[in-house]
């Protein structure tokens, strides 16, 4: 429909609601300039005393990012008609968008007095509570909202609160419930996948991520997550193909370049791996895992000084990751700094009991003629190794090899 | 100046003093030449040979290569009525260079941008540092403020006024003029000369012309002489046309300059006229025409470096990094010691993930005898990124030892960058603080300090730092985006929206800003 001129309906000095239909039509057709012209005319004619045009003008202002102005307009509309819950809700929402969460909560309380059974009010209250870090209250609000009417957004926010509280199981449950309700929301599928990934359930995670990719094949976040799982199963070429899609959308994502680098590392192409990882580090120098990976690659290429540098910067950025200390120790032992290597091993073991730490420590000790101590740590390794299940035992053949070699060399106790 | 008040050298008996003067002139001992000629002219005021030699000596003493130092004055840049189109297509105007990867150029998130919205060049030359007002479609007042601010933010550098450097050079020459003549007055009172008479004598006229233009800095008078002389030679002399073009250019009559230079080139192709013609086109904001002129010149004079480098500079200004690099390489093949090409290539390799190659170029520069803060600083960075850690800190120490107040801030900033690279955030924090204490307007340091504060959890301090940068450097997109992200996380969506829009304005292809804006729009559209 072609927009009718503002003149036709507005000329005659009729009742205030006369052109509201026209404003509405223009608004829903996103014909904003025309709509604003109409509204201005109405406001002039009635000295600014008409509710609906003000309301629409405020909505348009908000969509254009002028929230402060829109708040004032909504407040004006509320003054004109304090009994319309829509006006109150929008005032609350504007306050929320401006980051004034406490004030918004007050407004919503006001709105509750008009109507208890409005899911939106509950939902928005939950949002405000979430920003005020009152997570329990937020959860209550969201549950109330869902009891009245079920909406994707509420589920997503409820899941977010659980994630913030690090209660991933509960979050997943919420999302799964929401997925029953709308099974092909790619955003939600991705989120569930990521949560499963965090819990270490890779197969389930991959199911959901793959499902999400069928709906939205170009979402870089999903691709990155799915690619990392593919990569974990050493299917490097497939992962690279996935990353190629993501690289078009986000060419400057450090995480992406990090994963690409590790793909090349998996394919034993060390120069390419280092180039990719260095680019990732250039883009995000604060990401410890990039430094850690660079250290690994350099350790593999025998450039121990560089490896040491990267491991040490990784530890500087994230001091509570025990594996970094172990690799640092290996690097130090290759650099013939036996004493410091030992203290790095001890630090790693102190933080976590891992059979690899013990094994590597034993190897280093043996190579430096500390046979007694080596045997001690090897025994500890055997204890930890015995506790592992078969799958973990067979995942790295090198461990078994070294175990046999050491067992042959060390005196049995 | 060396010429002032210098005593005339002893003339051995039996040798013609004029001969001694000529020998001295050839040895570029202009002070002695002038003194000798003054003696000769005192004895014989109408000695044409002595007059000619003195004129040449005075000119040569203050001569500069004015093709290289061309800085646009603030008045010219602001009241630019030469631009042909107000909204030119990308790649056809210096005000609107090619953007992003489309031109094989570099990406703003990899290579930092200067205030004028172009990637930083490897070599500071006139015009690369200051923001050209009116570019990047910024508002009029912002452009004016940027123009008045001069080159580096906050330094005492003044914007260039009307004639640019020529004015200051002119003030120096006034002193020369005062003692140039024997009786205290100027050596040649140009205003009282009958130029028509001189125009008839080709040799004298040329010396006189150069004297008026380079020594007196009086392009109007020079133009008069040149015009008369071309008439006297029946419009057939390329030399005069070239000089006419130069005069017109200095007077700002660019179209006339273009005509004269074209005609001169048609009569006799020369490198100088080619360079000047290209310069005219650049001032007219027609970089592609300038490139054509350079290319034609390079065909005629395939071994001339200045033409190749001119092309490369123009490509650089148009953000066509790939082409520029090829040209710089050609320039280096012609002249292996060309400092500008070396520096630009080094910067190119540094920003395309090849710090090892950059290191080799910087080392070559060092071998050529260049020793400056910037070079040592760049060497240090290249060393760091190519894993030569032992040399890195030593190079930084050298850079700091050489640095003056204007540059020390930059060096400390880079020390902070390296500190982040080795994960020593405490050192990084201190280095950025030192950078700011040396140079209170070092915006990059503020930006990084903001990020460090954010990591420490000091949200308010981070916000304050970002805000400082927003005001001082609207050309950087990172602080805008970081500020937007912070505001978004704190729930202040209005500010997030404003800042994200500004980030997009500074770097239109920034994916993360677009993503943030998309989320914000969704929030706004939601009822």
């Amino acid at each position: 429909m072609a927009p009718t001129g503002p003149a036709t309906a507005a000329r005659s000095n009729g009742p205030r609601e006369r052109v509201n239909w026209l404003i509405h039509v223009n608004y829903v057709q996103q014909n904003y300039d025309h709509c604003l012209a109409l509204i201005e005319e109405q406001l002039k004619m009635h000295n600014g005393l008409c509710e609906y045009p003000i309301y629409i003008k405020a909505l348009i202002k908000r969509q254009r990012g002028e929230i402060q102005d829109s708040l004032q307009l909504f407040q004006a509309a509320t003054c004109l008609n304090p009994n319309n819950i829509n006006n109150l809700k929008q005032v609350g929402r504007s306050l929320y968008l401006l980051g004034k969460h406490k004030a918004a909560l007050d407004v919503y309380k006001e709105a509750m007095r008009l109507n208890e059974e409005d899911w939106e009010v509950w939902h928005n209250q939950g949002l405000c509570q979430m920003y005020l870090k009152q997570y329990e209250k937020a959860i209550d609000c969201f549950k109330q909202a869902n009891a009245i009417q079920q909406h994707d957004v509420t589920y997503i926010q409820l899941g977010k609160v659980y994630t913030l509280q690090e209660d991933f199981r509960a979050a997943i449950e919420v999302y799964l419930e929401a997925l029953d309700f709308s099974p092909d929301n790619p955003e939600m599928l991705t989120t569930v996948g990521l949560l499963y990934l965090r819990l270490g359930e890779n197969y389930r995670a991959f199911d959901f991520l793959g499902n999400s990719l069928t709906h939205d094949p170009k979402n870089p976040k999903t691709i990155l997550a799915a690619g990392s799982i593919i990569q974990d199963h050493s299917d490097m070429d497939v992962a690279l193909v996935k990353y190629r899609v993501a690289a078009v959308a986000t060419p400057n994502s450090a995480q992406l370049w990090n994963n690409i680098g590790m793909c090349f590392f998996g394919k034993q192409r060390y120069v390419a791996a280092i180039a990719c990882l260095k680019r990732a580090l250039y883009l995000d120098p604060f990401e410890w895992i990039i430094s850690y990976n660079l250290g690994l690659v350099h350790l593999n290429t025998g450039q121990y000084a560089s490896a040491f540098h990267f491991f040490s910067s990784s530890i500087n950025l994230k001091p509570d990751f025990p594996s970094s200390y172990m690799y640092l120790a290996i690097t130090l032992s290759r650099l013939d700094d036996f004493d410091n290597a030992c203290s790095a091993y001890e630090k790693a073991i102190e933080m976590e009991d891992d059979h690899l730490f013990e094994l590597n420590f034993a190897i280093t000790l043996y190579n430096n003629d500390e046979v007694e101590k080596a045997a001690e740590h090897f025994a500890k390794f055997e204890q930890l190794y015995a506790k592992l299940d078969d799958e973990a035992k067979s995942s790295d053949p090198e461990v078994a090899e070294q175990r046999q070699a050491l067992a042959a060399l060390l005196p049995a106790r | 100046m060396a010429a002032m008040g210098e005593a005339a050298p002893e003339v051995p008996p039996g040798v013609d003093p004029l001969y001694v003067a000529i020998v001295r002139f050839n040895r570029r001992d202009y002070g002695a030449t002038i003194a000798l000629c003054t003696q000769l002219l005192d004895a014989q005021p109408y000695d044409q040979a002595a007059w000619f030699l003195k004129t040449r000596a005075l000119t040569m003493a203050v001569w500069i290569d004015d093709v290289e130092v061309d800085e646009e004055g603030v008045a010219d840049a602001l009241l630019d009525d030469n631009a042909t189109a107000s909204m030119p297509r990308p790649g056809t105007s210096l005000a609107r260079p090619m953007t992003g990867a489309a031109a094989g150029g570099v990406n703003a998130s990899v290579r930092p941008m200067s205030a004028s919205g172009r990637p930083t060049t490897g070599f500071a030359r006139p015009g690369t540092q200051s923001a050209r007002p009116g570019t990047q479609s910024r508002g009029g007042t912002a452009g004016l403020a940027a123009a008045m601010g001069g080159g580096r933010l906050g330094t005492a550098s003044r914007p260039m006024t009307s004639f640019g450097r020529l004015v200051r050079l002119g003030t120096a020459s006034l002193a020369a003029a005062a003692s140039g003549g024997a009786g205290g007055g100027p050596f040649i009172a140009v205003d009282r000369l009958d130029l028509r008479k001189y125009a008839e004598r080709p040799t004298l006229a040329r010396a006189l012309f150069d004297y008026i233009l380079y020594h007196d800095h009086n392009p109007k008078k020079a133009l008069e002489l040149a015009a008369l002389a071309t008439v006297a030679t029946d419009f057939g002399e390329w030399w005069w046309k070239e000089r006419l073009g130069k005069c017109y250019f200095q007077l700002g009559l660019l179209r006339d300059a273009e005509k004269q230079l074209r005609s001169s080139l048609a009569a006799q192709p020369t490198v100088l006229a080619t360079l000047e013609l290209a310069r005219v086109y650049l001032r007219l904001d027609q970089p592609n025409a300038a490139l054509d002129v350079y290319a034609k010149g390079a065909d005629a004079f395939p071994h001339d470096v200045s033409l190749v480098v001119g092309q490369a500079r123009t490509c650089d200004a148009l953000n066509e990094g790939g082409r520029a690099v090829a040209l710089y390489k050609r320039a280096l093949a012609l002249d292996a010691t060309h400092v500008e090409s070396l520096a630009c290539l080094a910067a190119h390799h540094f920003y395309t993930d090849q710090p090892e190659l950059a290191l080799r170029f910087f080392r070559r520069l060092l071998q050529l005898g260049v020793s400056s803060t910037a070079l040592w600083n760049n060497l240090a960075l290249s060393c760091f990124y190519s894993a030569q850690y032992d040399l890195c800190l030593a190079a930084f120490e050298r850079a700091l030892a050489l640095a003056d107040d204007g540059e020390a801030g930059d060096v400390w900033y880079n020390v902070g960058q390296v500190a982040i690279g080795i994960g020593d955030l405490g050192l990084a924090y201190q280095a950025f603080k030192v950078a700011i204490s040396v140079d209170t307007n070092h915006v990059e340091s503020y930006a990084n300090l903001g990020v460090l504060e954010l990591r420490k959890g000091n949200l308010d301090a981070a916000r304050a730092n970002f805000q400082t940068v927003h005001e001082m450097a609207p050309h950087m997109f990172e602080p805008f985006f970081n500020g937007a992200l912070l505001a978004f996380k704190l729930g202040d969506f209005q500010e997030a929206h404003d800042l994200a829009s500004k980030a997009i304005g500074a770097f239109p292809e920034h994916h993360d800003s677009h993503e943030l804006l998309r989320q914000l729009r969704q929030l706004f559209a939601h009822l």
Side-chain angles (χ1 to χ4, degrees), chain A residues 195-208:
Chain A
L195 283 173
Y196 272 125
L197 204 55
R198 264 203 192 176
L199 291 173
E201 297 181 29
N202 287 358
Y203 282 109
R204 278 208 175 155
F206 192 66
D207 271 355
F208 282 98

PDB file of all heavy atoms in Angstrom, chain A residues 195-208:
ATOM      1  N   LEU A 195      27.246 -25.574  26.399  1.00  0.00           N
ATOM      2  CA  LEU A 195      27.179 -25.994  27.801  1.00  0.00           C
ATOM      3  C   LEU A 195      27.626 -27.442  27.952  1.00  0.00           C
ATOM      4  O   LEU A 195      28.378 -27.779  28.868  1.00  0.00           O
ATOM      5  CB  LEU A 195      25.755 -25.814  28.328  1.00  0.00           C
ATOM      6  CG  LEU A 195      25.381 -24.373  28.650  1.00  0.00           C
ATOM      7  CD1 LEU A 195      23.914 -24.288  29.004  1.00  0.00           C
ATOM      8  CD2 LEU A 195      26.218 -23.846  29.788  1.00  0.00           C
ATOM      9  N   TYR A 196      27.181 -28.303  27.032  1.00  0.00           N
ATOM     10  CA  TYR A 196      27.619 -29.691  27.080  1.00  0.00           C
ATOM     11  C   TYR A 196      29.122 -29.774  26.915  1.00  0.00           C
ATOM     12  O   TYR A 196      29.804 -30.578  27.558  1.00  0.00           O
ATOM     13  CB  TYR A 196      26.922 -30.525  26.001  1.00  0.00           C
ATOM     14  CG  TYR A 196      25.606 -31.099  26.457  1.00  0.00           C
ATOM     15  CD1 TYR A 196      24.442 -30.875  25.747  1.00  0.00           C
ATOM     16  CD2 TYR A 196      25.545 -31.883  27.605  1.00  0.00           C
ATOM     17  CE1 TYR A 196      23.233 -31.394  26.169  1.00  0.00           C
ATOM     18  CE2 TYR A 196      24.339 -32.403  28.039  1.00  0.00           C
ATOM     19  CZ  TYR A 196      23.188 -32.158  27.320  1.00  0.00           C
ATOM     20  OH  TYR A 196      22.008 -32.682  27.754  1.00  0.00           O
ATOM     21  N   LEU A 197      29.651 -28.911  26.042  1.00  0.00           N
ATOM     22  CA  LEU A 197      31.093 -28.879  25.819  1.00  0.00           C
ATOM     23  C   LEU A 197      31.807 -28.543  27.116  1.00  0.00           C
ATOM     24  O   LEU A 197      32.832 -29.127  27.473  1.00  0.00           O
ATOM     25  CB  LEU A 197      31.395 -27.822  24.761  1.00  0.00           C
ATOM     26  CG  LEU A 197      32.678 -27.984  23.966  1.00  0.00           C
ATOM     27  CD1 LEU A 197      32.721 -29.340  23.320  1.00  0.00           C
ATOM     28  CD2 LEU A 197      32.778 -26.899  22.933  1.00  0.00           C
ATOM     29  N   ARG A 198      31.245 -27.617  27.858  1.00  0.00           N
ATOM     30  CA  ARG A 198      31.857 -27.219  29.117  1.00  0.00           C
ATOM     31  C   ARG A 198      31.844 -28.352  30.117  1.00  0.00           C
ATOM     32  O   ARG A 198      32.738 -28.482  30.943  1.00  0.00           O
ATOM     33  CB  ARG A 198      31.070 -26.055  29.716  1.00  0.00           C
ATOM     34  CG  ARG A 198      31.667 -24.726  29.390  1.00  0.00           C
ATOM     35  CD  ARG A 198      31.212 -23.757  30.435  1.00  0.00           C
ATOM     36  NE  ARG A 198      31.535 -22.406  30.016  1.00  0.00           N
ATOM     37  CZ  ARG A 198      31.181 -21.336  30.713  1.00  0.00           C
ATOM     38  NH1 ARG A 198      30.469 -21.471  31.816  1.00  0.00           N
ATOM     39  NH2 ARG A 198      31.523 -20.159  30.308  1.00  0.00           N
ATOM     40  N   LEU A 199      30.775 -29.161  30.041  1.00  0.00           N
ATOM     41  CA  LEU A 199      30.677 -30.280  30.965  1.00  0.00           C
ATOM     42  C   LEU A 199      31.480 -31.466  30.464  1.00  0.00           C
ATOM     43  O   LEU A 199      31.527 -32.512  31.124  1.00  0.00           O
ATOM     44  CB  LEU A 199      29.216 -30.689  31.130  1.00  0.00           C
ATOM     45  CG  LEU A 199      28.354 -29.675  31.869  1.00  0.00           C
ATOM     46  CD1 LEU A 199      26.905 -30.082  31.822  1.00  0.00           C
ATOM     47  CD2 LEU A 199      28.811 -29.555  33.307  1.00  0.00           C
ATOM     48  N   GLY A 200      32.078 -31.316  29.282  1.00  0.00           N
ATOM     49  CA  GLY A 200      32.921 -32.392  28.763  1.00  0.00           C
ATOM     50  C   GLY A 200      32.167 -33.492  28.057  1.00  0.00           C
ATOM     51  O   GLY A 200      32.734 -34.535  27.764  1.00  0.00           O
ATOM     52  N   GLU A 201      30.876 -33.269  27.757  1.00  0.00           N
ATOM     53  CA  GLU A 201      30.142 -34.317  27.048  1.00  0.00           C
ATOM     54  C   GLU A 201      30.153 -33.989  25.562  1.00  0.00           C
ATOM     55  O   GLU A 201      29.198 -33.440  25.017  1.00  0.00           O
ATOM     56  CB  GLU A 201      28.704 -34.405  27.574  1.00  0.00           C
ATOM     57  CG  GLU A 201      28.695 -34.803  29.028  1.00  0.00           C
ATOM     58  CD  GLU A 201      27.292 -34.917  29.569  1.00  0.00           C
ATOM     59  OE1 GLU A 201      26.377 -35.225  28.799  1.00  0.00           O
ATOM     60  OE2 GLU A 201      27.124 -34.689  30.774  1.00  0.00           O
ATOM     61  N   ASN A 202      31.249 -34.359  24.935  1.00  0.00           N
ATOM     62  CA  ASN A 202      31.481 -33.885  23.577  1.00  0.00           C
ATOM     63  C   ASN A 202      30.470 -34.414  22.567  1.00  0.00           C
ATOM     64  O   ASN A 202      30.061 -33.699  21.658  1.00  0.00           O
ATOM     65  CB  ASN A 202      32.874 -34.268  23.123  1.00  0.00           C
ATOM     66  CG  ASN A 202      33.903 -33.419  23.815  1.00  0.00           C
ATOM     67  OD1 ASN A 202      33.543 -32.528  24.599  1.00  0.00           O
ATOM     68  ND2 ASN A 202      35.161 -33.667  23.564  1.00  0.00           N
ATOM     69  N   TYR A 203      30.084 -35.684  22.724  1.00  0.00           N
ATOM     70  CA  TYR A 203      29.195 -36.248  21.708  1.00  0.00           C
ATOM     71  C   TYR A 203      27.856 -35.537  21.683  1.00  0.00           C
ATOM     72  O   TYR A 203      27.348 -35.162  20.625  1.00  0.00           O
ATOM     73  CB  TYR A 203      29.001 -37.744  21.951  1.00  0.00           C
ATOM     74  CG  TYR A 203      30.180 -38.532  21.487  1.00  0.00           C
ATOM     75  CD1 TYR A 203      31.046 -39.124  22.382  1.00  0.00           C
ATOM     76  CD2 TYR A 203      30.442 -38.643  20.119  1.00  0.00           C
ATOM     77  CE1 TYR A 203      32.155 -39.818  21.950  1.00  0.00           C
ATOM     78  CE2 TYR A 203      31.553 -39.332  19.675  1.00  0.00           C
ATOM     79  CZ  TYR A 203      32.402 -39.912  20.595  1.00  0.00           C
ATOM     80  OH  TYR A 203      33.482 -40.586  20.150  1.00  0.00           O
ATOM     81  N   ARG A 204      27.306 -35.340  22.883  1.00  0.00           N
ATOM     82  CA  ARG A 204      26.030 -34.630  22.961  1.00  0.00           C
ATOM     83  C   ARG A 204      26.171 -33.218  22.438  1.00  0.00           C
ATOM     84  O   ARG A 204      25.328 -32.722  21.701  1.00  0.00           O
ATOM     85  CB  ARG A 204      25.594 -34.566  24.406  1.00  0.00           C
ATOM     86  CG  ARG A 204      24.927 -35.826  24.856  1.00  0.00           C
ATOM     87  CD  ARG A 204      24.003 -35.431  25.931  1.00  0.00           C
ATOM     88  NE  ARG A 204      23.220 -36.562  26.352  1.00  0.00           N
ATOM     89  CZ  ARG A 204      22.690 -36.647  27.550  1.00  0.00           C
ATOM     90  NH1 ARG A 204      22.874 -35.681  28.415  1.00  0.00           N
ATOM     91  NH2 ARG A 204      21.970 -37.669  27.887  1.00  0.00           N
ATOM     92  N   ALA A 205      27.258 -32.580  22.841  1.00  0.00           N
ATOM     93  CA  ALA A 205      27.494 -31.218  22.389  1.00  0.00           C
ATOM     94  C   ALA A 205      27.489 -31.157  20.876  1.00  0.00           C
ATOM     95  O   ALA A 205      26.857 -30.293  20.267  1.00  0.00           O
ATOM     96  CB  ALA A 205      28.832 -30.721  22.929  1.00  0.00           C
ATOM     97  N   PHE A 206      28.183 -32.153  20.276  1.00  0.00           N
ATOM     98  CA  PHE A 206      28.288 -32.134  18.830  1.00  0.00           C
ATOM     99  C   PHE A 206      26.931 -32.307  18.170  1.00  0.00           C
ATOM    100  O   PHE A 206      26.645 -31.680  17.151  1.00  0.00           O
ATOM    101  CB  PHE A 206      29.247 -33.221  18.363  1.00  0.00           C
ATOM    102  CG  PHE A 206      29.612 -33.085  16.934  1.00  0.00           C
ATOM    103  CD1 PHE A 206      30.349 -31.993  16.514  1.00  0.00           C
ATOM    104  CD2 PHE A 206      29.199 -34.006  15.999  1.00  0.00           C
ATOM    105  CE1 PHE A 206      30.675 -31.847  15.191  1.00  0.00           C
ATOM    106  CE2 PHE A 206      29.520 -33.859  14.669  1.00  0.00           C
ATOM    107  CZ  PHE A 206      30.273 -32.771  14.266  1.00  0.00           C
ATOM    108  N   ASP A 207      26.094 -33.148  18.761  1.00  0.00           N
ATOM    109  CA  ASP A 207      24.729 -33.316  18.241  1.00  0.00           C
ATOM    110  C   ASP A 207      24.038 -31.970  18.115  1.00  0.00           C
ATOM    111  O   ASP A 207      23.502 -31.613  17.065  1.00  0.00           O
ATOM    112  CB  ASP A 207      23.918 -34.181  19.208  1.00  0.00           C
ATOM    113  CG  ASP A 207      24.061 -35.635  18.847  1.00  0.00           C
ATOM    114  OD1 ASP A 207      24.697 -35.885  17.811  1.00  0.00           O
ATOM    115  OD2 ASP A 207      23.547 -36.485  19.593  1.00  0.00           O
ATOM    116  N   PHE A 208      24.058 -31.254  19.233  1.00  0.00           N
ATOM    117  CA  PHE A 208      23.328 -29.985  19.243  1.00  0.00           C
ATOM    118  C   PHE A 208      23.963 -28.964  18.302  1.00  0.00           C
ATOM    119  O   PHE A 208      23.264 -28.236  17.607  1.00  0.00           O
ATOM    120  CB  PHE A 208      23.261 -29.429  20.664  1.00  0.00           C
ATOM    121  CG  PHE A 208      22.226 -30.109  21.490  1.00  0.00           C
ATOM    122  CD1 PHE A 208      22.547 -31.121  22.353  1.00  0.00           C
ATOM    123  CD2 PHE A 208      20.899 -29.740  21.364  1.00  0.00           C
ATOM    124  CE1 PHE A 208      21.593 -31.769  23.097  1.00  0.00           C
ATOM    125  CE2 PHE A 208      19.929 -30.369  22.109  1.00  0.00           C
ATOM    126  CZ  PHE A 208      20.273 -31.381  22.976  1.00  0.00           C
TER     127      PHE A 208
END
